[in-house]
Amino acid sequence: CVCACMSATVDAAADIQGTSAPETVVPSSVPQPKDDFQEELVIRPLHSGDIYASFQFRTLWDTDFMRENKVSHYRLFPKSLGQVISKFSVRELHISFTQGYWRTMQWGQPFIPSPPGAELWVWFQDSVTDVDATWKELTNVLSGIFCASLNFIDSTNTVQPSASFKPLGLGNVTDHSFLRYATLPREIVCTENLTPWKKLLPCGSKAGLAVLLKSEKLFHSSFHSQAVHIRSVCQDWQCKTTSWELRQTLNSVFDLHNSGQTKREWSLFKMFSRTLTEACPLASSSKLYIDITDNPQVTTSLLSQAVVLGDRRTFSVYDLTQETTFGTVRSLNLLIRWKSNEGEMLRPLLHAERYVAGYGLQTGEIHTLMYNNHPYRSFPVLLLDSVPWYLRLYIHTLSVTSKGKDNKPSYIHYEPSKDRVKPHLLEMLIQLPPNSVTEVTVQFERALLKWTEYPPDPNHGFYVGSSVISSLVPSTVAMHTNSTRERPLFSSFFPCKEESSYFVRIYTEPLLVNLPTPDFSMPYNVICLTCTVVAVGYGSLYNLLTRSFQIEEPNPGLAKRIANVIRRMRGVPPL
Amino acid sequence: MAAPLTLLLIVAVTIRAALFRSSLAELIAERVEVVSPITAWKRVVEGLALLDLGVSPYSGDVFHETPLIIYMFHFLVDYAEITFMTFVFGALCVCICFFFIYLSLMPFQFRKQKFALEADRYPMDSLELIRSPKEMYYVPLKVAMFYLLNPFTILSCVAKSTCGLNNAVLALFFLSTIKGNVLLSAIFLCLATYQSIYPITLCAPAMLYFMQRQYIPVNFHRVSFWWFIVQYLFMYLGSLFVLICLSFFLLGSWDYLPSVYGFILSVPDLTPNIGLFWYFFAEMFEHFRLFFLCVFQINVFFYTIPLSIKLKEHPVFLIFMQLAVISIFKSYPTVGDVALYLAFLPVWSHLHRFLRNIFLVSCVLLACSALFPVLWHLWIYAGSANSNFYYAITLLFNVAQILLVSDYFYAFLRREHHLTNGLYLKRKDGSEATLILK
């Protein structure tokens, strides 16, 4: 069991449902659109002894980026992102940088899923005429904003999903030609990416929850993911007004053994090497949630309940906008201690794995396994696979089996790849039977590339991006469908259209595949040798075509030849 | 003659049937020496699967066959094994056509020889070079044996490579040319060109053969010469145009043109095979890629005119030379293409006394054929060799083929020289002379 102690006494009354009164702005000649900033941190102890920290920073701004006269007065919303939205006519933008792979079976479901490496998906407005050119420019601009090598995103790793990645904000769109999705599984996240991300926050890293974001501790974790999500949301239930929402999320999982601990004991200082001193002054709400569902003997009275990921969880809430939270020492450091090791983790209902089978460098097989752990309900999943062109998939070898029997997908969308132009895109809607494993296998052939197309370490292998599995999973608890109700940020990320299920997106492991390599030291030698063989053919045929057979005259000795030359000069017949 | 032929056929069919049923069939169908990205059966099945999914087979880069092939296999895919067995019979065309060569060539040749003898054009001592009907009696059977029992052909047939289809069409073209049917010859040549571009170079020997048969002199100043060329080209290009338009209407788009012909000419796929292109373009500097691509492609078509001029009296040998040049220098060769021109060798069995390198060449060809799978395994599966080993064997195999072809050419030209100048040549002072090329 867990007991949470604090270094300061705490006042009783805390807001269970935080209100977010929009900040009133000083009236000026031009009426300023209303904006609002909220920040929150959720700490959730995981069953394996690790601890999961999820930061969310949300800025809401009631403005219109698409109108004629450009927006120029930015307050809480970062100007660089606002300009990106208006210049490239973006309807929705989601970008994430992740280091590490989320282990669903040990850690449960994350609040915000993300694949290893960098992932970017964008919905453009209907007004965009050349989506591919806009996409190219957008990736280059984002590459500059986030100091990441997103310029490697080009047509060879961009796909246009036809059913997955529906907009998470407003918009009832059916034309997927305005959607682009790309992933860079090889991308590494480091301090250079964290610093510009922190700069986008209204308070920067100087006040509020962002003071905890210190790179030497954050990158010493098993899993680190930072993301930016921009979308339009409704302000009220009837959706008469809309506003732009910017969410910056940062998820980290701190490893028990990696951080050199022997006891299962975590504190804010141990995780982040900092404590909290104040909330961000620009924030309307700044909260810290500790998940105590598995440990009901907690003795504080600041409790709140929220429905997240199909489960009702109990949280202990600390409101940082209240002075009393920090007590007399003016700092908040929470300590979480385990008394004993007990209890079973709730098995996630949907879980997936992927691996490459086969041996040798000629062919192989991609196996994707999807586990449905619900005892009696079956549900459909949408599987999206984007495979690079140099692994030539053979779609006639595609087989989907559940419990040993063939399970035919009800929807298959396949776009074959074009060499050096676009990757394979495979999307399938598969019904997973209850309590079963579904296996999807496809055979592929490995291509030999030109010697200039290999990365600097060719024998490391080539990365294949994660498969994306999207599904509506049956929920044990009724989900709230009113998105404008006040809820903690972590429970309101994915829109909820029906009460009995919640949306889940799972990313499988990326694959590392070896390709046959030519010898990189040999270009000149190969050119010479092959041209020699062609020349042998040319030479032999040339000889036979241009020469004729003659009787060989024996060659006279040197003396005779000189004598013949002299004789010729004298005009006398030769010897 | 019929009995040994039937026996041969039964043996050939038995071997193929036995290999089809065994587990070796899948192994052979994956070998890069036997199938290429153009001819692989796996890709045909993939193209049909894409067609069933509602996606155009040419929207990806896996399928490179012509639309007529898709539709043919769409009907036949359930009976694929039987289809490929019929390629065995297509190969029978090869031997049938040789049978007919001699039915038609023999009287022609004998007339020519008799005339030359009577006109004292052939010296007396070259009598032993002249072929007699008796020794030519078994040539068609030998040709059939060389083709049907050639391990290359057996492997190609068991792998269900569409190379067998191409060989069958070329054999039919040859048969119709020998029989003297201009229209059919043009149509079959057009079908062969439609499938892979290179047989277009066989126009020249076909036209030369017809002109020889119809006693049209090969002279640029004669109207009849140009008139025949116009006729033949009209039939050939007309049927090609019809085929291309038919393919457009079958699938409703011109997508197949870059996928089939663009693929053969621009070589984007660098899958290893027994040819010279793959490693060369894998290691090529980007700046020179287009230049060398043009050089290598021109190399295939370039020998047509010089060879036609030199061999204008001997169009059958010219066809052999052209087929050999195509098989060696094409962009995605397989052992099935090699087997086609190897089947011609018994026709020139009278040249064996003038061949100089035949022992060396045959040893190298055998050794290379044995080493190909070994070095492939070492590179791809064991990881203890690298691509250079396989590339070296590729080079050696092609050098051996070139030496074989040029050796036969040398022998042919030498026999012609001896026929006109006598077999035992003497120098001015009466001693035995040696003959050189100068």
Side-chain angles (χ1 to χ4, degrees):
Chain A
C1 61
V2 163
C3 75
C5 5
M6 291 154 298
S7 55
T9 53
V10 170
D11 233 324
D15 252 333
I16 295 179
Q17 293 186 344
T19 50
S20 79
E23 295 255 3
T24 47
V25 189
V26 174
S28 60
S29 52
V30 177
Q32 300 296 331
K34 301 187 224 166
D35 51 9
D36 170 55
F37 176 67
Q38 295 177 333
E39 54 179 19
E40 93 185 7
L41 165 61
V42 181
I43 297 186
R44 181 189 201 162
L46 297 171
H47 207 70
S48 53
D50 308 324
I51 196 147
Y52 173 29
S54 173
F55 291 81
Q56 283 213 34
F57 304 93
R58 180 176 83 161
T59 308
L60 271 179
W61 196 16
D62 193 3
T63 181
D64 183 11
F65 284 113
M66 299 300 137
R67 65 156 189 248
E68 286 305 311
N69 23 342
K70 298 202 168 63
V71 177
S72 56
H73 187 81
Y74 289 84
R75 201 173 142 258
L76 297 176
F77 202 94
K79 183 171 180 175
S80 50
L81 290 181
Q83 286 180 325
V84 161
I85 298 173
S86 50
K87 181 159 193 268
F88 297 110
S89 308
V90 167
R91 186 200 290 273
E92 265 193 39
L93 186 143
H94 302 269
I95 183 167
S96 73
F97 299 94
T98 310
Q99 179 83 352
Y101 176 66
W102 182 269
R103 297 170 210 287
T104 313
M105 287 305 273
Q106 287 157 297
W107 298 340
Q109 295 280 10
F111 296 124
I112 317 276
S114 53
E119 185 204 38
L120 171 66
W121 58 283
V122 175
W123 273 94
F124 290 96
Q125 302 277 1
D126 298 343
S127 55
V128 175
T129 43
D130 187 355
V131 184
D132 289 316
T134 319
W135 169 254
K136 185 103 193 103
E137 279 184 51
L138 175 63
T139 51
N140 280 296
V141 165
L142 289 173
S143 176
I145 293 178
F146 291 104
C147 279
S149 45
L150 296 174
N151 51 326
F152 284 127
I153 294 179
D154 56 10
S155 65
T156 59
N157 46 22
T158 308
V159 289
Q160 232 178 283
S162 67
S164 315
F165 294 104
K166 295 247 180 301
L168 290 178
L170 287 180
N172 222 358
V173 278
T174 49
D175 191 358
H176 280 253
S177 65
F178 292 103
L179 169 64
R180 293 289 184 273
Y181 172 80
T183 168
L184 291 172
R186 209 181 168 133
E187 188 69 15
I188 298 177
V189 191
C190 52
T191 316
E192 276 77 38
N193 307 117
L194 183 62
T195 313
W197 188 90
K198 282 195 287 189
K199 279 208 186 114
L200 297 171
L201 295 169
C203 285
S205 51
K206 301 197 175 51
L209 291 170
V211 297
L212 296 176
L213 302 175
K214 290 291 159 211
S215 41
E216 59 269 8
K217 279 297 192 172
L218 274 182
F219 291 107
H220 201 63
S221 56
S222 300
F223 178 84
H224 170 87
S225 168
Q226 62 198 53
V228 170
H229 302 276
I230 302 176
R231 59 181 175 174
S232 296
V233 291
C234 292
Q235 291 268 47
D236 52 358
W237 183 228
Q238 283 89 3
C239 211
K240 287 201 281 276
T241 48
T242 62
S243 55
W244 282 91
E245 179 194 78
L246 164 69
R247 279 199 197 217
Q248 287 180 256
T249 65
L250 194 143
N251 294 346
S252 266
V253 174
F254 294 96
D255 194 285
L256 173 67
H257 306 289
N258 211 5
S259 43
Q261 303 205 117
T262 45
K263 295 184 292 184
R264 288 171 80 163
E265 189 178 279
W266 286 101
S267 74
L268 277 184
F269 191 78
K270 275 206 181 111
M271 287 195 278
F272 302 108
S273 70
R274 283 290 306 265
T275 58
L276 292 166
T277 49
E278 56 165 346
C280 174
L282 299 168
S284 63
S285 134
S286 177
K287 292 209 163 83
L288 172 57
Y289 292 85
I290 317 272
D291 187 335
I292 55 172
T293 324
D294 298 324
N295 313 280
Q297 286 122 318
V298 169
T299 51
T300 77
S301 50
L302 305 154
L303 291 181
S304 150
Q305 288 212 324
V307 178
V308 62
L309 296 172
D311 198 14
R312 183 175 298 279
R313 314 285 296 184
T314 316
F315 295 89
S316 177
V317 186
Y318 299 89
D319 189 349
L320 301 174
T321 50
Q322 308 283 328
E323 280 288 324
T324 48
T325 314
F326 298 101
T328 46
V329 294
R330 291 231 172 287
S331 101
L332 176 65
N333 182 20
L334 293 163
L335 179 65
I336 306 164
R337 196 186 293 136
W338 275 256
K339 285 248 175 77
S340 65
N341 215 353
E342 64 182 52
E344 271 297 315
M345 186 181 79
L346 182 70
R347 265 204 323 176
L349 289 178
L350 181 62
H351 166 58
E353 286 173 351
R354 192 163 74 142
Y355 59 90
V356 171
Y359 63 97
L361 295 176
Q362 189 177 2
T363 52
E365 240 178 45
I366 298 182
H367 290 245
T368 310
L369 285 110
M370 294 181 284
Y371 297 84
N372 176 358
N373 293 325
H374 201 286
Y376 53 85
R377 293 275 296 273
S378 77
F379 49 87
V381 297
L382 200 58
L383 172 66
L384 171 79
D385 243 322
S386 165
V387 179
W389 65 266
Y390 38 82
L391 301 182
R392 302 203 166 97
L393 291 185
Y394 284 97
I395 206 70
H396 70 272
T397 56
L398 176 70
S399 86
V400 183
T401 48
S402 301
K403 290 182 177 169
K405 288 195 296 244
D406 215 16
N407 181 359
K408 201 162 152 35
S410 49
Y411 168 76
I412 299 185
H413 173 76
Y414 177 63
E415 267 176 45
S417 70
K418 260 210 143 9
D419 275 9
R420 302 178 179 91
V421 170
K422 63 179 175 119
H424 296 276
L425 174 67
L426 177 62
E427 270 188 280
M428 293 191 286
L429 183 65
I430 307 174
Q431 187 83 4
L432 299 185
N435 210 13
S436 67
V437 182
T438 304
E439 183 164 6
V440 178
T441 58
V442 177
Q443 281 181 18
F444 64 87
E445 204 176 74
R446 302 174 207 226
L448 184 72
L449 304 177
K450 297 184 203 165
W451 70 299
T452 48
E453 289 175 343
Y454 286 86
D457 183 9
N459 291 305
H460 178 72
F462 287 77
Y463 284 94
V464 178
S466 314
S467 300
V468 186
I469 296 165
S470 323
S471 171
L472 280 173
V473 177
S475 157
T476 47
V477 172
M479 307 290 294
H480 302 294
T481 52
N482 183 359
S483 59
T484 55
R485 257 191 61 195
E486 282 311 316
R487 293 190 285 171
L489 292 178
F490 59 87
S491 63
S492 64
F493 183 67
F494 285 115
C496 199
K497 299 275 170 32
E498 46 181 72
E499 289 191 347
S500 57
S501 56
Y502 62 98
F503 181 75
V504 150
R505 185 172 281 146
I506 293 189
Y507 293 93
T508 61
E509 298 96 330
L511 301 173
L512 189 58
V513 175
N514 265 28
L515 291 183
T517 58
D519 190 344
F520 298 98
S521 60
M522 291 273 285
Y524 182 69
N525 301 357
V526 166
I527 295 175
C528 284
L529 287 169
T530 311
C531 290
T532 305
V533 171
V534 175
V536 162
Y538 176 80
S540 327
L541 288 178
Y542 176 82
N543 264 343
L544 292 165
L545 286 168
T546 52
R547 297 182 186 198
S548 58
F549 285 99
Q550 287 174 23
I551 304 234
E552 182 189 11
E553 293 300 326
N555 217 356
L558 185 62
K560 268 200 177 163
R561 265 189 285 159
I562 296 173
N564 275 334
V565 165
I566 298 170
R567 278 182 158 226
R568 216 177 320 137
M569 284 193 318
R570 281 169 55 194
V572 171
L575 292 166
Chain B
M1 187 66 164
L5 202 61
T6 321
L7 181 65
L8 180 65
L9 222 65
I10 291 174
V11 169
V13 170
T14 315
I15 296 177
R16 283 162 172 78
L19 280 173
F20 264 136
R21 295 269 165 256
S22 70
S23 62
L24 284 177
E26 273 162 31
L27 217 71
I28 295 173
E30 276 191 353
R31 300 262 6 134
V32 288
E33 298 92 6
V34 182
V35 297
S36 70
I38 303 181
T39 58
W41 177 247
K42 199 171 182 189
R43 293 190 180 226
V44 172
V45 177
E46 177 71 9
L48 293 173
L50 284 175
L51 206 63
D52 286 337
L53 267 180
V55 178
S56 161
Y58 300 110
S59 57
D61 246 341
V62 164
F63 187 72
H64 301 287
E65 302 274 2
T66 52
L68 279 182
I69 303 255
I70 304 182
Y71 278 92
M72 194 182 96
F73 283 117
H74 202 61
F75 294 119
L76 293 175
V77 74
D78 295 323
Y79 309 105
E81 285 181 14
I82 304 176
T83 312
F84 280 90
M85 293 294 249
T86 63
F87 293 159
V88 171
F89 295 95
L92 182 60
C93 286
V94 176
C95 70
I96 289 179
C97 67
F98 283 98
F99 185 66
F100 283 108
I101 293 176
Y102 291 95
L103 281 188
S104 46
L105 260 185
M106 272 198 293
F108 185 71
Q109 280 283 52
F110 288 136
R111 249 181 292 139
K112 198 167 144 200
Q113 284 174 155
K114 193 167 139 202
F115 175 68
L117 269 177
E118 283 167 7
D120 266 339
R121 276 185 48 207
Y122 284 171
M124 280 302 127
D125 53 358
S126 55
L127 267 175
E128 55 188 275
L129 288 178
I130 295 179
R131 290 181 284 181
S132 63
K134 205 164 74 101
E135 63 189 42
M136 295 214 294
Y137 182 70
Y138 279 109
V139 165
L141 184 65
K142 283 193 214 163
V143 167
M145 205 163 66
F146 257 61
Y147 189 73
L148 290 173
L149 298 182
N150 191 347
F152 289 161
T153 329
I154 295 178
L155 286 176
S156 190
C157 186
V158 172
K160 298 197 264 228
S161 157
T162 56
C163 182
L165 199 57
N166 209 16
N167 285 359
V169 172
L170 280 171
L172 284 168
F173 151 73
F174 195 33
L175 176 63
S176 47
T177 309
I178 298 294
K179 292 286 277 172
N181 193 334
V182 183
L183 181 63
L184 270 185
S185 152
I187 290 177
F188 282 123
L189 185 62
C190 155
L191 271 173
T193 313
Y194 169 71
Q195 197 176 353
S196 73
I197 306 173
Y198 300 106
I200 196 172
T201 59
L202 295 172
C203 265
M207 286 196 277
L208 282 172
Y209 185 85
F210 284 120
M211 285 198 264
Q212 195 181 60
R213 204 187 155 86
Q214 295 174 4
Y215 300 109
I216 301 172
V218 181
N219 191 343
F220 288 129
H221 303 295
R222 296 292 198 100
V223 176
S224 50
F225 172 74
W226 291 109
W227 177 234
F228 182 77
I229 289 186
V230 163
Q231 279 179 312
Y232 191 82
L233 283 180
F234 176 74
M235 280 188 277
Y236 174 70
L237 291 172
S239 25
L240 198 60
F241 179 72
V242 165
L243 268 180
I244 293 203
C245 290
L246 181 66
S247 312
F248 170 70
F249 287 118
L250 273 177
L251 279 179
S253 73
W254 294 108
D255 281 348
Y256 76 96
L257 286 176
S259 260
V260 181
Y261 304 118
F263 182 79
I264 296 177
L265 290 175
S266 68
V267 194
D269 188 336
L270 299 172
T271 313
N273 49 54
I274 60 172
L276 297 166
F277 278 66
W278 63 280
Y279 207 51
F280 188 69
F281 288 105
E283 299 271 11
M284 175 52 62
F285 300 103
E286 268 315 300
H287 187 69
F288 296 105
R289 195 187 145 78
L290 185 62
F291 169 70
F292 278 104
L293 193 64
C294 295
V295 166
F296 270 51
Q297 295 289 4
I298 288 173
N299 187 45
V300 184
F301 298 101
F302 162 77
Y303 294 108
T304 313
I305 309 260
L307 280 175
S308 308
I309 294 173
K310 183 84 177 183
L311 292 171
K312 57 179 180 282
E313 313 282 328
H314 314 283
V316 179
F317 192 75
L318 180 58
I319 291 186
F320 165 70
M321 289 295 296
Q322 289 284 33
L323 278 176
V325 162
I326 292 173
S327 301
I328 299 170
F329 293 117
K330 71 191 288 198
S331 46
Y332 292 101
T334 61
V335 292
D337 301 307
V338 174
L340 184 64
Y341 77 83
L342 284 179
F344 270 82
L345 295 184
V347 180
W348 323 115
S349 53
H350 57 281
L351 296 174
H352 78 274
R353 60 191 298 172
F354 299 116
L355 292 171
R356 294 179 299 174
N357 302 327
I358 198 65
F359 175 67
L360 178 72
V361 162
S362 44
C363 285
V364 173
L365 281 175
L366 279 172
C368 287
S369 313
L371 278 174
F372 268 124
V374 171
L375 292 171
W376 178 256
H377 178 86
L378 280 182
W379 174 27
I380 297 290
Y381 294 102
S384 51
N386 65 6
S387 47
N388 292 334
F389 293 71
Y390 192 78
Y391 167 64
I393 298 300
T394 303
L395 286 182
L396 210 55
F397 190 72
N398 284 303
V399 166
Q401 284 184 74
I402 290 171
L403 281 180
L404 175 71
V405 169
S406 59
D407 211 13
Y408 267 89
F409 194 23
Y410 170 86
F412 188 84
L413 291 175
R414 184 142 172 196
R415 179 175 171 273
E416 292 303 311
H417 184 261
H418 280 304
L419 273 180
T420 46
N421 295 24
L423 188 53
Y424 299 105
L425 298 167
K426 295 210 171 8
R427 266 193 290 227
K428 283 196 267 257
D429 51 4
S431 58
E432 207 175 309
T434 46
L435 210 56
I436 51 161
L437 272 177
K438 230 189 167 74

